[in-house]
């Protein structure tokens, strides 16, 4: 049995009724512009409810009783009873309805009638009201509830203000909770223990990950715990998405991993990250970058594997995307600003079959959503589920004639892999092993079938089409045979020639053209990708001139071939015209394309003057040379 499922079952058996009963607390959602939903067991989706007193931009929280009936709801500024009247002493709470996770309701430990409402201020108010809590007693007002403590400050160490991130995760003891926020202008998480004795005044502080600063609008975003309470995912509006490990025993956060990094350029709509949510089994993470809905496989402990698993599920063509929230039915619902409905992600446990339900308003509301969805406890006491798609194969084919690397892995620990058989058709070639590197000599499409055999005798099969692109070659050459920079030239021309159609890219990103002129010494590398996807590279070394860029001031044309001619060393002489004059100004030699061959034939010893002119740049060099015989 996988450790995660074993922990799941133990928690289900050992957890006190206060946590188990809290499952139905998520059955009623109040959010947005007077929007509300009711989840009913056995129904595929929740049904809209016709009335709400709340109009909130982001912050929202609601709680139901053990039978799934509404108790109260809040926008971080006010609290409304189930009859939609303002709760006595329920305003002002000190929070702000424009905070991403400005409100969170947690039932008091060991109680059935006492509730905490935690609130945060927003960046629009410079976060100045900070982190606060209010206490609600549902025994009062004939069971409609009243606020007994309102807007009590919860100071962070060193007077740090919190961002708009707020979540709660049950502790490993199955009884208490961690209430978690993040500091502004630092990289610190603050986890406060909530026990039967109340809220701890001293948080567990974890310094990990990037600084949440105004530079990436990191005040705004969502902090979400995984169903097993051992992972935290966090978004920063223009700062991307981060994944962390969380220890529910100690409250410590560790091992930050950037899944999406801040975008350079682009519009706010293209770059923003707000919503994030885990699949019901915790193996997959769903988020977005701009309007692009993304999936990450976070079951692995490998940072490289997690990043490489990024998959786009679809593009939302509506307005700005808001929060993601998993419902009691296991689906994930997506808020879209000012939309008359929510978008829906189905099959959220499946790495291959998860999909974004078509339609602008997949779940229609009798109202409008805004950016926020209700903030709830990341509760691990969910209906047990098995990680789907255990056996996976990865790899991309290389060119014909080159090794193509394919790998297999198991996403769970329920079964132990014994062997993998790889069959390619129509070649009928067979390979074995968890990793193979076959060489296909001919291009074309093949059907790959990978069969996993487990130690318990069971098998799983994955199939995919593999297209081997034709081989390609690229040759990078310099305009000079030696690749040496020449004096007086505007660099040296590099030319890449490929065997087929495709695109070029240079290692330094200077251009995508096959030719370029360079003026600095170094190694230059070009990559060519054919239209079929075959990638090859070549490089050349450009070196400094072999000698100094000097012209001779003496020649001795006496027939011994030592210093016999006027030689333009480290130059390309054919690019220069040469005119030579005697001391009386009479031209005694001229050549349009010089060949390093003037040796003062028929001229007496003495001083001569030269004028050189480059045929392309028109640069002129003037000087004198002495002829000694």
């Amino acid at each position: 049995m996988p450790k995660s499922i074993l922990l799941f079952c133990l928690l289900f058996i050992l957890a006190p009724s206060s946590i188990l009963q809290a499952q139905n607390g998520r059955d009623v959602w109040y959010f947005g512009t007077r929007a509300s939903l009711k989840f009913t067991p056995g129904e595929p989706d929740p049904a809209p409810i016709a009335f709400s007193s709340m109009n909130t931009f982001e912050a929202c929280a609601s709680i139901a009783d053990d039978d799934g009936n509404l108790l109260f709801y809040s926008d971080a500024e006010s609290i409304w009873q189930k009859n939609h009247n303002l709760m006595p002493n329920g305003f002002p709470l000190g929070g702000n309805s424009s905070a991403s996770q400005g409100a969170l309701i947690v039932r008091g430990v060991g109680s059935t009638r006492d509730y905490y409402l935690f609130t945060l201020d927003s960046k629009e108010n410079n976060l100045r009201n900070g982190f606060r809590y209010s206490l609600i007693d549902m025994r009062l007002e004939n069971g409609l509830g009243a606020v007994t403590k309102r807007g009590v400050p919860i100071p962070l160490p060193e007077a740090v203000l919190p961002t708009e991130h707020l979540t709660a995760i049950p502790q490993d003891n199955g009884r208490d909770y961690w209430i978690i926020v993040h500091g502004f202008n630092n990289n610190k998480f603050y986890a406060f223990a909530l026990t039967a004795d109340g809220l701890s005044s001293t948080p567990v502080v974890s310094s990990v990950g990037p600084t949440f600063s105004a530079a990436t609008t990191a005040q705004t975003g969502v902090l979400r715990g995984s169903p097993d309470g051992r992972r935290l995912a966090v978004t920063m509006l223009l700062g991307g998405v981060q994944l962390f490990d969380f220890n529910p025993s100690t409250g410590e956060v560790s091992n930050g991993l950037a899944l999406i990094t801040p975008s350079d350029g682009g519009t706010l709509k293209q770059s923003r990250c707000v919503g994030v949510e885990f699949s019901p089994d915790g193996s997959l993470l769903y988020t977005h970058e701009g309007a692009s809905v993304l999936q990450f496989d976070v079951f692995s402990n490998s940072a490289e594997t997690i990043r490489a698993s990024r998959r786009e599920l679809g593009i939302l063509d509506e307005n700005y995307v808001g929060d993601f929230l998993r419902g009691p039915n296991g689906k994930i619902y997506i808020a879209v600003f000012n939309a008359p409905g929510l978008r829906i992600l189905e099959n959220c446990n499946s790495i291959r079959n998860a999909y974004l339900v078509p339609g602008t308003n997949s779940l229609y509301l009798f109202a409008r959503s805004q950016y926020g969805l209700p903030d709830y406890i990341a509760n691990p006491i969910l209906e047990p589920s098995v990680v789907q798609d255990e056996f996976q194969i990865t790899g991309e084919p290389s060119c014909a004639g080159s090794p193509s690397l394919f790998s297999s892995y198991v996403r769970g620990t329920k079964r132990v892999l014994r062997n993998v058989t790889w069959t390619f058709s129509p070649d009928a070639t067979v390979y074995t092993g968890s990793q193979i590197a076959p060489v296909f000599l001919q291009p074309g499409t093949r059907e790959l079938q990978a069969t996993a055999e487990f130690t318990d005798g069971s098998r799983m099969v994955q199939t995919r089409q593999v297209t081997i692109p034709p081989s390609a070659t690229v040759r990078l050459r310099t305009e000079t045979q030696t690749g040496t920079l020449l004096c007086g030239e505007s660099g040296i021309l590099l030319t890449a020639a490929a065997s087929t159609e495709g695109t070029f890219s240079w290692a330094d990103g200077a251009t995508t053209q096959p030719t370029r002129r360079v003026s600095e010494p170094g190694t230059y590398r070009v990559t060519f990708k054919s239209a079929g996807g075959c990638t090859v590279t070549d490089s050349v070394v450009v070196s400094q001139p072999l000698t100094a860029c000097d012209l001779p001031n003496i020649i001795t044309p006496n027939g011994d071939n030592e210093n016999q001619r006027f030689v333009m060393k480290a130059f390309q002489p054919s690019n220069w015209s040469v005119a030579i004059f005697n001391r009386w100004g009479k031209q005694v030699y001229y050549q349009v394309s010089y060949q390093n061959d003037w040796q003062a034939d028929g001229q007496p010893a003495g001083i001569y003057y030269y004028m050189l002119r480059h045929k392309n740049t028109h640069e002129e060099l003037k000087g004198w040379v002495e002829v000694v015989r």
Side-chain angles (χ1 to χ4, degrees):
M1 177 179 288
K3 292 180 181 177
S4 59
I5 304 303
L6 176 61
L7 173 64
F8 220 39
C9 298
L10 289 174
L11 286 172
F12 190 83
I13 294 169
L14 300 176
S17 60
S18 62
I19 289 184
L20 290 175
Q21 292 172 347
Q23 295 309 293
N24 292 336
R26 300 172 64 112
D27 282 355
V28 180
W29 292 6
Y30 278 71
F31 58 97
T33 303
R34 296 180 171 81
S36 51
L37 296 171
K38 177 68 163 62
F39 289 84
T40 301
E43 295 295 326
D45 285 301
I49 304 173
F51 191 81
S52 167
S53 293
M54 186 168 66
N55 183 2
T56 178
F57 190 58
E58 293 175 89
C60 51
S62 51
I63 193 75
D65 63 18
D66 299 337
D67 296 320
N69 299 310
L70 176 68
L71 291 176
F72 61 91
Y73 55 98
S74 174
D75 64 353
E77 300 177 16
S78 305
I79 303 177
W80 291 272
Q81 299 169 325
K82 65 182 179 182
N83 60 8
H84 310 295
N85 293 327
L86 187 67
M87 186 175 284
N89 200 30
F91 175 85
L93 304 176
N96 194 300
S97 62
S98 190
S100 303
Q101 293 181 293
L104 172 66
I105 300 169
V106 180
R107 184 188 291 184
V109 176
S111 174
T112 59
R113 293 291 183 177
D114 298 311
Y115 291 85
Y116 285 81
L117 173 64
F118 297 96
T119 61
L120 292 171
D121 205 349
S122 70
K123 71 177 179 64
E124 287 79 4
N125 198 38
N126 296 318
L127 310 171
R128 63 168 58 94
N129 283 334
F131 186 28
R132 296 173 180 264
Y133 76 90
S134 300
L135 289 179
I136 298 96
D137 187 342
M138 293 304 297
R139 291 177 289 264
L140 303 178
E141 297 293 312
N142 295 318
L144 293 176
V147 178
T148 57
K149 286 187 178 181
R150 188 184 72 214
V152 180
I154 308 171
L156 302 187
E158 301 175 336
V160 169
L161 290 173
T163 62
E164 299 179 8
H165 301 79
L166 170 64
T167 194
I169 293 182
Q171 297 190 22
D172 262 357
N173 60 21
R175 178 183 63 252
D176 303 324
Y177 297 96
W178 295 109
I179 311 300
I180 308 168
V181 295
H182 197 284
F184 181 52
N185 282 331
N186 68 26
N187 69 334
K188 296 178 180 180
F189 289 89
Y190 301 89
F192 291 84
L194 179 62
T195 69
D197 296 327
L199 187 71
S200 169
S201 60
T202 305
V204 176
V205 181
S206 303
S207 298
V208 61
T211 295
F212 283 31
S213 71
T216 53
T217 322
Q219 308 100 309
T220 296
V222 168
L223 176 62
R224 193 78 76 202
S226 62
D228 67 358
R230 300 187 181 277
R231 288 276 181 83
L232 284 176
V234 60
T235 63
M236 296 164 284
L237 185 62
L238 298 180
V241 180
Q242 297 273 331
L243 181 67
F244 298 90
D245 290 332
F246 182 73
N247 187 329
S249 296
T250 66
E252 294 174 305
V253 183
S254 59
N255 301 326
L257 170 64
L259 300 182
I260 300 175
T261 54
S263 298
D264 294 324
T267 66
L268 174 63
K269 189 173 181 180
Q270 292 168 335
S271 306
R272 65 199 311 276
C273 300
V274 177
V276 66
E277 182 60 283
F278 289 89
S279 62
D281 64 14
S283 71
L284 299 169
L285 185 71
Y286 296 88
T287 185
H288 69 102
E289 185 174 22
S292 177
V293 178
L294 305 173
Q295 178 199 72
F296 289 89
D297 181 0
V298 297
F299 198 83
S300 165
N301 287 322
S302 164
E304 182 179 347
T305 300
I306 292 173
R307 286 197 190 98
S309 70
R310 171 174 170 150
R311 185 165 76 96
E312 184 179 277
L313 300 184
I315 301 292
L316 297 174
D317 55 3
E318 300 96 331
N319 214 323
Y320 290 103
V321 180
D323 201 2
F324 287 35
L325 186 63
R326 187 180 64 252
N329 57 5
K331 300 179 183 181
I332 292 176
Y333 296 86
I334 303 173
V336 177
F337 174 63
N338 203 34
L342 301 179
R343 298 301 302 268
I344 305 175
L345 285 168
E346 296 262 17
N347 295 340
C348 296
N349 281 341
S350 176
I351 192 172
R352 296 176 66 88
N353 298 319
Y355 67 95
L356 183 66
V357 175
T360 302
N361 304 298
S362 306
L363 178 62
Y364 189 78
L365 306 169
F366 290 133
R368 296 236 166 215
S369 76
Q370 299 298 330
Y371 282 124
L373 291 173
D375 199 6
Y376 285 109
I377 300 168
N379 203 315
I381 314 302
L382 302 175
E383 182 179 346
S385 58
V386 177
V387 174
Q388 296 184 20
D389 305 313
E390 277 185 277
F391 173 59
Q392 293 290 307
I393 57 176
T394 62
E396 291 299 328
S398 185
C399 312
S402 300
S404 297
L405 182 65
F406 295 92
S407 300
S408 62
Y409 67 99
V410 178
R411 297 180 63 242
T413 55
K414 185 176 181 180
R415 292 184 286 183
V416 178
L417 187 64
R418 172 183 290 161
N419 190 32
V420 181
T421 302
W422 309 75
T423 303
F424 294 88
S425 301
D427 307 63
T429 52
V430 178
Y431 304 85
T432 59
S434 60
Q435 187 178 79
I436 61 171
V439 176
F440 300 99
L441 299 179
Q442 298 298 324
T445 300
R446 293 161 174 80
E447 186 77 18
L448 165 61
Q449 177 177 293
T451 303
E453 302 174 32
F454 298 91
T455 54
D456 64 359
S458 61
R459 296 186 177 191
M460 292 188 73
V461 177
Q462 291 281 1
T463 60
R464 63 184 290 188
Q465 280 195 331
V466 175
T467 300
I468 307 298
S471 61
T473 59
V474 64
R475 296 187 67 188
L476 183 57
R477 294 292 181 264
T478 64
E479 64 180 325
T480 62
Q481 292 184 351
T482 61
T484 303
L485 291 168
L486 298 173
C487 300
E489 302 294 330
S490 58
I492 187 171
L493 186 67
L494 308 183
T495 302
S499 59
T500 184
E501 296 294 321
T503 57
F504 296 88
S505 61
W506 296 80
D508 60 1
T511 181
T512 57
Q513 298 301 312
T515 60
R516 61 181 294 194
R517 186 169 292 277
V518 299
S519 57
E520 297 294 330
T523 300
Y524 292 85
R525 183 180 301 274
V526 68
T527 297
F528 173 75
K529 185 174 183 180
S530 70
C534 181
T535 301
V536 288
T537 62
D538 196 14
S539 63
V540 294
V541 176
V542 175
S543 58
Q544 292 277 21
L546 298 177
T547 62
C549 294
D550 296 329
L551 292 169
N553 57 14
I554 187 171
I555 62 173
T556 57
N558 52 19
D560 62 1
N561 286 326
E562 294 292 333
N563 203 23
Q564 179 80 13
R565 298 173 180 84
F566 181 78
V567 176
M568 300 175 64
K569 294 180 179 179
F571 287 78
Q572 181 66 41
S574 59
N575 286 341
W576 297 82
S577 65
V578 176
I580 297 180
F581 305 86
N582 63 20
R583 61 181 177 174
W584 294 284
K586 180 182 179 182
Q587 181 175 299
V588 297
Y589 178 85
Y590 179 77
Q591 192 172 37
V592 174
S593 179
Y594 187 55
Q595 303 298 317
N596 279 339
D597 55 0
W598 186 68
Q599 54 184 353
D601 288 337
Q603 301 297 325
I607 301 296
Y608 291 81
Y609 300 89
Y610 59 79
M611 184 172 68
L612 314 179
R613 183 180 176 85
H614 196 282
K615 65 180 181 181
N616 297 321
T617 67
H618 307 300
E619 179 184 2
E620 291 186 349
L621 300 176
K622 298 178 181 180
W624 59 270
V625 59
E626 182 178 4
V627 176
V628 177
R629 294 190 183 274

